[in-house]
Amino acid sequence: MSIRAPWLLAFLALCASCQKVAEGQRLFRDMMLLREQIATQFHEARVQVNVIDNGTVVVTFINSPLNGASSEEKQKRADEVAAFVMKDRKHQVREVRTFFVSQSGGSVTGLDRYTGHPKS
């Protein structure tokens, strides 16, 4: 029995690691799908989606037509994005942050950040 114990522990650790990898792969696929859905829903060409801090989703619009819009219009979009992201998500979403990035020649030339407040 003493010979089996280390092997059993190693096997259990391996199973736990494999489960974490599988969860990470599912989250990655979900975020890639969400990115495509957001691009389609909001008619944006370049969108990035990331998850940080246990459930905060960051949506970045790069060179969006809204880059030159007012703060009110950008906040409205952030609210719409938050409502869209929180609808029917498999993973808990604590907060949605929306960034509007202006980029030229690989350099960021402007950045506006908004936290979405979906209507309840």
Side-chain angles (χ1 to χ4, degrees):
M1 187 124 138
S2 63
I3 294 175
R4 291 183 189 169
W7 288 105
L8 180 58
L9 288 175
F11 178 73
L12 291 174
L14 179 62
C15 288
S17 295
C18 290
Q19 184 176 6
K20 289 287 185 188
V21 168
E23 288 172 13
Q25 287 175 332
R26 272 192 298 276
L27 179 61
F28 179 76
R29 280 193 305 269
D30 290 347
M31 291 301 108
M32 293 299 292
L33 177 60
L34 178 60
R35 180 179 65 96
E36 294 303 319
Q37 292 169 337
I38 290 171
T40 300
Q41 176 71 23
F42 297 101
H43 310 288
E44 292 281 350
R46 294 180 62 197
V47 178
Q48 293 180 346
V49 177
N50 296 302
V51 179
I52 60 171
D53 297 335
N54 297 323
T56 297
V57 175
V58 177
V59 177
T60 304
F61 295 113
I62 302 169
N63 294 334
S64 170
L66 285 180
N67 278 0
S70 69
S71 294
E72 292 80 18
E73 289 177 90
K74 291 177 183 175
Q75 183 62 58
K76 180 181 177 204
R77 169 64 64 85
D79 296 342
E80 293 168 347
V81 169
F84 185 82
V85 168
M86 290 182 172
K87 182 184 85 176
D88 300 326
R89 285 300 120 206
K90 296 173 188 166
H91 303 282
Q92 181 180 352
V93 177
R94 193 181 80 214
E95 179 180 60
V96 179
R97 297 178 189 162
T98 301
F99 287 48
F100 295 92
V101 174
S102 299
Q103 197 173 48
S104 178
S107 298
V108 173
T109 57
L111 171 69
D112 292 319
R113 175 184 175 263
Y114 298 85
T115 299
H117 306 287
K119 294 176 179 143
S120 301

